Each structure stands twice: as C-alpha cells, then as structure tokens.
Amino acid sequence: MTSSTVSISNNKETAKICQAPVIFLDTAILLKASKNEAPFKDLIDLVIRLSKERKIISIEGAQRDEICHGKDTHGIDILKEHCHATSSLEFIQKKQLFRAVCDYIKNKSSDFTLLIEDIFLHDPSITGTSGLGRITDSEALGIDTDKNLIEQAKLHEVLRQAATASNIKYQKGREMGFKILIDVWKSEPYLYGAWKSDSHKFNEFWDSKFFTEIPFVYLWSSLYSSIITDKNRKIFDETTQSPINGRKGDWIDLISISTLLPYCDYFTCDKNMKDMVRQISEQDKNDRYFKKMYSSSEKDTKQLIEILETI
C-alpha cells in the first residue's frame, strides 16, 4: 500500500494513491439496504461487486458501534461479509499525531503524510481479508455506548448553550476544540520520546500549524465548533432528558468523520454532518473534504451510484 500527502503549508491535498478507491458506508445506508430499500440496496450491491473485482475498498469504522447498540442489527451482516476492518479510531488519530510531532522536531517539510496502511487491520490487497471483523471501539474501551452517547449529547448541549450565550463564533469555537485535544494529548506517554529528544520544539509544536492542520485535529475541532456555536441546533431535551431525534449519534459521527474522511475517496454520512462539513468548507474556502461526501439521502445515493458505475 502507498501513502497520501497533505500539504500543511498551502492547505492542499495531493491525489491519494492506493490500489483502489476507499469508501465508507453510513450506518443508515447499511440498515436500509439490509431491508432491501432502493436505492440503498442498489448501492450496496454495486459496492459488493466492485469489491469482489478489487476496484473499490469498503471500510468498517464505527458503524458496528451504532448498529450493535441500536434496535436493528441487520446491517451487521453486510459489515461482516464485505467491509475491511479499520484499526481503532484512537490508534489512527495517535499515528497522525505522532508522525506530525516527529516531523516537526526533525525540521521536516510541512507535508503531512497520511499512510493508508495506518487505517487497516488487514491488508485489503490480500484476497479474503474483507469481513475480518474488528472489536468495536466501545467494546475495547468497555463503554456502554447507548448510555455514553446520551451523556455526550447532554454535555454538548451544556457547552452549546454556554457558547451561544457568550456569542462565541466559529473561529473561537475551533480554538476551543484545539485546546481540548491539546489537554488530552500533550501528556500522552507514547509522546515521551519526542518530548525527551527536544522539549523546546515539542512544546512549540502545539502552537504551530503542524498541529492544527493534522487532518483529525482540523476536522474534529472544526466540527466541534460547528456543533457548539449553532444557536438553532439543540442537541439535548432537558424536559425529556433525552437527545433530540437523530442527534444521539453525533458523537460517533464526529469521531468517525474526523478520523476516516481524510483517507476516503467517497464518504457517506447523515445530511446534518454533510451540511456541517459544507459550512466548514465555505468558512475556510477549501472543499478538499466536502467534495468526497455524500449524504444518506436518496438523491445523494443515486448520484454516488452513477459515479461508482464509471469505475
């Protein structure tokens, strides 16, 4: 497998070179396809055919987390049989961070390298590796995903109310996102070697574009800001003590999109998340990520089918 490069200095992404395009299928599409709903079943059938012909690689990220803890588990069969398992999302994030820290300390160029092999548990070029499942991130962490998502929704609603009451705008919200990640990551034990080699440059790194333009950092902080600065998008209902319909999974979507979107050529998600990435693209005047995205609507699904049929 080969790698792709993201240039931090000019914020452009070069063409990703891989043996086949990579696609991420949203949980909603998997569930609708499992019930033979068109055009979602047509999309899955096409992806399965292209996968067998080794013309596309379909990946499993956090969909199993959502399906396993939902009311409908039909989509699991599609994941088990046809999707290539990714490494844990946390592992992928840490690989990006570690590479960026080391490059900064070694005074390497501002080209950030995304290694496609970082996301796979098994080499997808080897026949028979699709369907080799991964332990879900919630299982690995011992998390009750349903309970955790409710708590996350409640927390994000508190943050949203505080941010909107203080009239915090998008850029300030993104800086808050950067700070959250710095607080979580800066003292990680696996970075000790980098700190020991040059503590001055290590501390300097966190204020540089080498950090803020790491794909996961950029996307997570931008989406986080979009969520907490939106005055009209309530996340949690205090009266019913439950997330607003369709928003309980925002936390999983936030992590999945931020982690896996940079590696994908086609990425499907719910309309709300696609709209958020569109807004980010408009704010930053850069569509490098938005142009890969398709919502799980009928219209976008039909459009994606037309594109994939040309492969």
Side-chain angles (χ1 to χ4, degrees):
M1 287 179 286
T2 53
S3 61
S4 61
T5 301
V6 176
S7 174
I8 292 173
S9 57
N10 58 20
N11 210 28
K12 292 180 181 177
E13 185 174 357
T14 63
K16 178 166 68 65
I17 304 170
C18 189
Q19 64 269 50
V22 177
I23 187 170
F24 178 90
L25 297 167
D26 184 55
T27 303
I29 290 178
L30 294 171
L31 293 175
K32 290 174 183 177
S34 70
K35 299 173 185 175
N36 295 315
E37 294 182 27
F40 311 102
K41 179 65 163 58
D42 300 327
L43 173 61
I44 297 300
D45 288 344
L46 176 58
V47 170
I48 290 172
R49 177 175 66 79
L50 291 173
S51 296
K52 289 178 178 178
E53 295 172 0
R54 302 176 77 175
K55 293 180 178 179
I56 201 167
I57 297 170
S58 179
I59 61 172
E60 176 189 344
Q63 302 104 310
R64 198 178 299 214
D65 282 291
E66 294 186 294
I67 294 172
C68 283
H69 295 275
K71 295 180 180 179
D72 193 332
T73 59
H74 290 91
I76 287 288
D77 293 336
I78 296 172
L79 284 174
K80 286 181 176 178
E81 292 176 20
H82 306 292
C83 294
H84 291 273
T86 63
S87 302
S88 77
L89 303 186
E90 182 182 13
F91 174 80
I92 297 168
Q93 297 155 18
K94 287 181 176 180
K95 291 283 280 189
Q96 289 186 20
L97 175 64
F98 185 74
R99 191 171 294 118
V101 170
C102 291
D103 285 353
Y104 188 78
I105 289 175
K106 294 175 182 176
N107 294 313
K108 289 192 175 180
S109 72
S110 56
D111 284 345
F112 180 85
T113 303
L114 279 175
L115 299 178
I116 194 69
E117 59 262 34
D118 285 351
I119 70 171
F120 291 111
L121 278 179
H122 312 281
D123 188 341
S125 65
I126 300 174
T127 303
T129 57
S130 62
L132 294 178
R134 67 196 282 275
I135 188 169
T136 66
D137 289 278
S138 59
E139 289 170 338
L141 297 172
I143 293 172
D144 178 341
T145 302
D146 194 58
K147 181 180 179 181
N148 189 256
L149 291 180
I150 292 172
E151 290 302 313
Q152 285 292 328
K154 190 174 184 178
L155 172 61
H156 284 150
E157 178 59 23
V158 171
L159 294 171
R160 188 192 71 84
Q161 291 183 14
T164 54
S166 301
N167 202 31
I168 290 175
K169 303 300 183 184
Y170 170 74
Q171 190 57 44
K172 178 63 176 177
R174 183 155 64 177
E175 290 171 5
M176 291 167 62
F178 292 150
K179 186 177 184 307
I180 289 171
L181 293 179
I182 290 171
D183 290 343
V184 170
W185 279 351
K186 195 172 182 179
S187 59
E188 282 280 357
Y190 73 95
L191 294 178
Y192 175 74
W195 172 82
K196 189 175 182 181
S197 68
D198 191 330
S199 60
H200 175 73
K201 292 209 73 173
F202 178 83
N203 289 323
E204 192 180 71
F205 163 80
W206 303 96
D207 292 322
S208 73
K209 280 198 170 184
F210 272 75
F211 172 69
T212 59
E213 289 293 334
I214 293 173
F216 170 75
V217 173
Y218 168 79
L219 280 168
W220 188 91
S221 299
S222 300
L223 287 168
Y224 172 82
S225 178
S226 295
I227 289 173
I228 68 163
T229 60
D230 191 337
K231 293 182 178 180
N232 302 314
R233 192 173 187 272
K234 192 173 182 180
I235 303 165
F236 189 84
D237 189 323
E238 295 89 347
T239 304
T240 62
Q241 285 294 293
S242 61
I244 301 297
N245 186 38
R247 295 177 190 169
K248 185 171 75 173
D250 278 4
W251 184 57
I252 286 182
D253 290 341
L254 180 67
I255 300 295
S256 294
I257 292 171
S258 303
T259 308
L260 297 176
L261 174 58
Y263 298 92
C264 293
D265 299 274
Y266 312 101
F267 194 100
T268 62
C269 61
D270 68 42
K271 184 179 182 300
N272 285 328
M273 284 294 170
K274 182 188 174 185
D275 287 344
M276 282 188 195
V277 177
R278 175 183 56 76
Q279 291 165 8
I280 291 166
S281 299
E282 292 171 354
Q283 289 269 4
D284 297 341
K285 296 180 173 56
N286 191 316
D287 69 348
R288 57 179 167 156
Y289 295 125
F290 179 68
K291 64 185 179 182
K292 304 176 178 185
M293 301 189 78
Y294 301 84
S295 75
S296 50
S297 66
E298 285 193 23
K299 179 182 177 181
D300 274 21
T301 300
K302 288 178 180 178
Q303 180 186 359
L304 180 55
I305 288 172
E306 289 179 7
I307 292 170
L308 294 182
E309 284 176 337
T310 65
I311 294 178

